[in-house]
Amino acid sequence: MAYRDFQHFLEVLESKGELRRVKEPLSPTLEITEVADRVMKAGGPALLFENVVGQAHRLGTSNPMSAVMGHASIGFQPMGSASFPATNSPESGPLGQDAQRKHRLEADAT
């Protein structure tokens, strides 16, 4: 089935009972991941988070890889000549910060 646009896709999922809208405010750092992980492992429906608080993700931008690496822009170069900016440590960037926060939470729980 072809969909007219993303909104049409959501309408079809919702009409089949395969979409749940999450209206509670959740942080994109760990909270949404935790909720999505639990729902997926339970075989649950697709989720649409309608009230994301905190820093917005950049995966919808023209340069999503830079968001993952924690840099303003990595630019795009022909294959074989890519030069990625170095990070200060494995813990730098948004993914490293999440790992540090998760580690602290786990340490506090014990």
Side-chain angles (χ1 to χ4, degrees):
M1 171 182 202
Y3 302 101
R4 292 185 309 269
D5 53 26
F6 186 64
Q7 184 63 41
H8 181 228
F9 173 70
L10 294 176
E11 290 168 2
V12 171
L13 283 179
E14 223 165 4
S15 71
K16 294 179 177 182
E18 296 178 9
L19 175 71
R20 295 292 182 270
R21 294 177 181 266
V22 180
K23 298 180 187 317
E24 291 78 17
L26 294 174
S27 167
T29 307
L30 299 179
E31 288 183 319
I32 288 177
T33 306
E34 180 67 22
V35 170
D37 185 56
R38 288 180 188 209
V39 170
M40 289 175 58
K41 286 178 179 175
L47 300 172
L48 178 63
F49 296 95
E50 295 181 330
N51 194 1
V52 178
V53 297
Q55 184 177 5
H57 69 80
R58 291 178 31 204
L59 297 180
T61 67
S62 60
N63 197 353
M65 184 57 78
S66 65
V68 172
M69 296 180 72
H71 294 277
S73 177
I74 62 169
F76 290 99
Q77 300 173 350
M79 292 212 33
S81 65
S83 173
F84 295 99
T87 58
N88 295 334
S89 70
E91 291 80 26
S92 64
L95 298 178
Q97 292 168 0
D98 288 350
Q100 288 176 339
R101 187 176 294 111
K102 182 177 179 182
H103 178 71
R104 284 194 304 270
L105 291 172
E106 289 172 350
D108 291 344
T110 57

